[in-house]
């Protein structure tokens, strides 16, 4: 158990809908990262937050957004869903996120999104 | 475009065999190279490598980085069925912005 909690574990929805994925980082970790893992693209970095502020952005679509709250939990919002958004969405956390970043990410067990 | 390529894509061995997994990369702003093991669910951290030529070891697993040739290898000796997993290589480009390879699926047969 990495200490990172993600909910829901599974989600099935229809095209055009909107969903919210939630992540609670390990106690004491200030950084939260979101990754998408699909069968044809491997693990893709989406976005990172550090202590409530966006720190780095990867291949995140405009239909997706995220935020990190004062209690450090994070939410990833996916809207206008398409079939191709079906994937496993991982949240990870780390102690630091800038110059103090150690490189070690602790991953949650993922939220599996199926868009029908 | 940043790229991390792992080989082989899959590998089947028998218990007791030694395996070598490869990871080559072309990225801007290299900070470190990381290896993860992914069983059914979340990837778990194995190693972080930042300096060339310094081997990192953990039990039967070891890894080394060559920053001149832009590659890393992960060795597993005396493999066990519990080593069966997807092994992911990632390059950190700063502040957690990591580029992952597609992984090597290792199957260890009894």
């Amino acid at each position: 158990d990495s200490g990172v909690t993600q909910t829901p574990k599974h989600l099935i929805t229809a095209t055009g809908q909107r969903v919210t994925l939630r992540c609670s980082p390990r106690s004491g970790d200030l950084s939260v990262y979101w990754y998408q893992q699909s069968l044809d693209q491997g693990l893709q970095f989406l976005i990172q937050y550090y202590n409530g502020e966006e720190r780095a952005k990867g291949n995140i679509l405009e239909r997706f957004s995220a935020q990190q709250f004062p209690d450090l939990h994070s939410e990833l919002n996916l809207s206008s869903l398409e079939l191709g958004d079906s994937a496993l969405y991982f949240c990870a956390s780390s102690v630091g996120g800038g110059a103090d970043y150690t490189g070690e990410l602790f991953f949650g067990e993922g939220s599996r999104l199926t868009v029908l | 475009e940043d790229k991390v390529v792992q080989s082989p894509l899959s590998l089947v061995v028998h218990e007791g065999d030694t395996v070598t997994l490869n990871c080559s990369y072309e990225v801007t702003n290299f900070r470190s190279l990381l290896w993860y093991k992914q069983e059914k669910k979340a990837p778990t951290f194995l190693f972080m490598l930042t300096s060339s030529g310094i081997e990192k070891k953990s039990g039967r697993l070891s890894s080394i980085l060559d920053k001149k040739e832009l590659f890393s290898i992960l060795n597993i000796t005396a493999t066990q069925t519990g080593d069966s997993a997807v092994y992911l290589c990632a390059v950190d480009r700063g502040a957690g912005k990591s580029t992952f390879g597609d992984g090597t699926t290792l199957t260890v047969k009894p």
Side-chain angles (χ1 to χ4, degrees), chain B residues 26-75:
Chain B
E26 288 179 37
V27 301
T28 53
N29 301 318
F30 175 93
R31 290 276 297 272
S32 61
L33 187 140
L34 305 126
W35 284 96
Y36 290 87
K37 178 183 181 182
Q38 185 175 23
E39 297 175 85
K40 297 212 183 223
K41 295 181 179 177
T44 53
F45 175 81
L46 293 175
F47 297 112
M48 183 176 78
L49 302 155
T50 53
S51 302
S52 273
I54 298 175
E55 186 182 50
K56 292 243 176 150
K57 283 196 72 144
S58 176
R60 295 175 295 101
L61 278 67
S62 63
S63 184
I64 198 160
L65 172 67
D66 186 327
K67 288 170 75 173
K68 184 179 174 188
E69 300 297 330
L70 307 183
F71 78 89
S72 174
I73 59 172
L74 176 68
N75 281 317

Side-chain angles (χ1 to χ4, degrees), chain A:
Chain A
D1 182 0
S2 67
V4 177
T5 304
Q6 288 188 249
T7 57
K9 286 188 170 38
H10 300 276
L11 192 54
I12 301 174
T13 189
T15 54
Q17 295 298 303
R18 173 190 169 96
V19 299
T20 297
L21 310 180
R22 184 189 166 102
C23 170
S24 293
R26 286 189 327 155
S27 175
D29 285 358
L30 298 179
S31 272
V32 169
Y33 310 79
W34 287 98
Y35 283 85
Q36 178 191 57
Q37 187 175 43
S38 52
L39 284 175
D40 60 345
Q41 286 202 317
L43 261 170
Q44 299 285 315
F45 170 71
L46 296 178
I47 198 164
Q48 179 212 355
Y49 280 83
Y50 176 75
N51 205 19
E53 293 189 3
E54 183 184 304
R55 178 62 66 93
K57 218 167 189 176
N59 302 321
I60 187 165
L61 299 171
E62 283 190 17
R63 300 183 286 108
F64 296 181
S65 65
Q67 54 183 327
Q68 186 180 28
F69 294 87
D71 66 353
L72 301 178
H73 91 271
S74 177
E75 293 181 355
L76 179 67
N77 300 298
L78 316 173
S79 61
S80 302
L81 285 167
E82 301 175 0
L83 296 177
D85 298 327
S86 295
L88 191 53
Y89 290 84
F90 282 109
C91 170
S93 72
S94 68
V95 173
D100 56 346
Y101 178 63
T102 64
E104 183 172 359
L105 296 177
F106 295 88
F107 283 82
E109 296 200 337
S111 292
R112 182 167 293 284
L113 173 66
T114 302
V115 182
L116 301 175

